[in-house]
Amino acid sequence: MTNPNNSLTSEAVAVPLLDWYDRHARRLPWRAPPGASRMDPYHVWLSEIMLQQTTVATVKDYFERFLTLWPTVEGLASADLDRVLTEWAGLGYYARARNLHKCAQRVVEDHGGAFPDTEEALLNLPGIGRYTAAAIAAIAFGQRAVVMDGNIERVIARLNTVETPLPAAKPALYALTDAVTPDARAGDFAQAMMDLGATICTPRKPRCMLCPITAVCAGKDMAETLPRRAPKKVKPTRTGMAVWIENTNGAVLLRRRPESGLLGGMMEVPSSPWTEGVEPPETEEGAYGMPVSLAPGSFRMMGEIKHTFTHFHLRLTVARAQVVDADLPKDCIWCPLDNLGDVALPTVMRKVAKAALL
DNA sequence: AAACCGGGGGC
DNA sequence: GCCCCAGGTTT
């Protein structure tokens, strides 16, 4: 691939970068120690799915926990989806967990339990897009693949002073990444670029003085301003009221959300609809009409929690009440307070629980 | 193009 | 503490 600005070669970038990587590579649970045998594709895949939209520090414990529970892809494939969602709780983007489970089953059923070793075949698996297919091909199978994620986009935009805003700049950034990707050690190169982006070539306050490739970086004097981005949209605020309903056995009423959409398949504290542009409800009238009768006088306001999703802010008032009688639909359970840690509760609902129990 | 979450950094 | 932000896949 020709180099569009005709200045940066793979050698000028990859040699000092890989040298830095060999000396400073972070020891991570999913990374082979230097000189060790190749990583298990199952481990590479699991870590890459978790690392989508999620930081290394957050992923570490989840990764080790998943491998303890399911040491092989066959084990994960035969696990209950609800168990996988429970273990995934807190990582966010729960469609990833559903696709993870589906992908494990496809690997077992269609590929005899072995991950395919081409980008094209990997791309056909659920939850594996362009980035993850390239990363697995390079890291697990030693192939030359062009790996592009947000960190690498940033490093490349700065190296070449690309001033076109994202996402329009993506094709140019891909070509520039292709131009500096070496034939050998493409997997280590990709990991080195991502490490560099995470620790040195950071979005704000980049540490150019510590950068192993600062000598060949065209953008080092304007690094913090790159890459440029199209202006972001403002998020609206939605409000509602969540009602923490307890029975006399010390259990709380939880409901499973629909399989798809926001927090798909996760458990929730029942709440009123989340509506935009109104003040959060503070009376019983705002409560969701669950098929329960509440003990007279047991309804109390417990405070308010805030949470932000991809496309809106949420303010939920939290109320607490005692139940007298209930005829629960199938998607509802009574969860003993001691078992709250063992259900698929997303972070926003853990905030609700905390407010209700204070 | 829009939907999809949570944690961490900067102030 | 409170913003503000970055970040792949699917539809």
Side-chain angles (χ1 to χ4, degrees):
Chain A
M1 174 53 105
T2 51
N3 184 339
N5 75 357
N6 211 20
S7 63
L8 281 181
T9 62
S10 169
E11 186 150 330
V13 175
V15 169
L17 186 71
L18 284 167
D19 179 62
W20 170 80
Y21 182 71
D22 289 338
R23 287 181 287 112
H24 292 98
R26 291 180 288 174
R27 292 285 149 263
L28 299 171
W30 50 84
R31 203 171 268 181
S37 57
R38 199 134 71 195
M39 284 303 295
D40 184 338
Y42 172 55
H43 296 195
V44 174
W45 164 73
L46 179 61
S47 65
E48 289 301 337
I49 300 298
M50 288 182 168
L51 287 164
Q52 290 168 6
Q53 326 294 318
T54 310
T55 57
V56 166
T58 304
V59 164
K60 250 182 186 166
D61 291 343
Y62 283 87
F63 177 79
E64 304 203 311
R65 171 87 176 144
F66 268 66
L67 277 193
T68 300
L69 289 170
W70 302 297
T72 65
V73 68
E74 287 84 0
L76 179 56
S78 58
D80 278 346
L81 174 59
D82 185 50
R83 188 66 206 288
V84 175
L85 285 173
T86 297
E87 293 299 331
W88 195 272
L91 270 180
Y93 292 103
Y94 299 97
R96 287 187 296 169
R98 313 175 74 78
N99 282 331
L100 183 85
H101 189 239
K102 209 180 305 169
C103 183
Q105 296 180 331
R106 286 270 299 276
V107 167
V108 170
E109 286 163 18
D110 299 351
H111 300 277
F115 277 84
D117 62 359
T118 66
E119 282 187 75
E120 190 193 355
L122 287 162
L123 263 178
N124 281 323
L125 292 168
I128 297 185
R130 201 147 103 110
Y131 160 77
T132 308
I136 296 173
I139 296 168
F141 296 113
Q143 298 177 16
R144 183 188 184 280
V146 179
V147 179
M148 270 280 290
D149 78 338
N151 280 310
I152 296 177
E153 279 179 358
R154 183 172 61 255
V155 172
I156 292 291
R158 290 172 177 176
L159 269 178
N160 299 278
T161 330
V162 173
E163 300 196 59
T164 312
L166 286 169
K170 274 177 185 285
L173 291 172
Y174 187 92
L176 289 162
T177 304
D178 194 349
V180 294
T181 299
D183 292 330
R185 301 188 66 189
D188 285 345
F189 176 78
Q191 293 182 89
M193 290 283 278
M194 293 188 281
D195 270 16
L196 189 73
T199 62
I200 292 184
C201 198
T202 49
R204 288 170 305 285
K205 308 280 172 191
R207 301 163 171 82
C208 296
M209 318 270 263
L210 299 176
C211 179
I213 53 177
T214 193
V216 294
C217 182
K220 61 172 172 291
D221 293 330
M222 52 184 295
E224 193 158 8
T225 72
L226 298 174
R228 308 233 198 277
R229 284 174 194 284
K232 55 222 166 268
K233 281 196 295 203
V234 293
K235 293 176 199 223
T237 298
R238 300 184 195 172
T239 63
M241 177 160 66
V243 189
W244 182 269
I245 300 170
E246 283 185 23
N247 67 14
T248 49
N249 300 324
V252 62
L253 178 57
L254 298 179
R255 181 173 57 184
R256 188 177 297 282
R257 294 179 60 89
E259 299 295 305
S260 63
L262 190 73
L263 305 174
M266 302 295 284
M267 302 303 293
E268 67 177 354
V269 177
S271 69
S272 68
W274 301 347
T275 50
E276 193 178 320
V278 297
E279 283 305 299
E282 291 191 1
T283 67
E284 199 165 342
E285 275 65 43
Y288 177 76
M290 292 297 291
V292 296
S293 24
L294 302 181
S298 71
F299 185 92
R300 312 196 264 149
M301 298 303 300
M302 300 299 293
E304 179 180 311
I305 62 108
K306 295 180 184 183
H307 192 79
T308 299
F309 293 94
T310 320
H311 49 300
F312 65 93
H313 302 288
L314 178 65
R315 291 169 60 199
L316 280 182
T317 46
V318 179
R320 183 174 180 175
Q322 287 284 328
V323 74
V324 172
D325 187 31
D327 179 21
L328 292 191
K330 244 190 20 227
D331 57 352
C332 289
I333 59 164
W334 287 110
C335 176
L337 295 187
D338 290 343
N339 294 1
L340 276 177
D342 303 324
V343 293
L345 268 194
T347 298
V348 61
M349 293 303 154
R350 297 201 179 272
K351 291 182 186 175
V352 169
K354 194 176 166 202
L357 295 170
L358 274 182

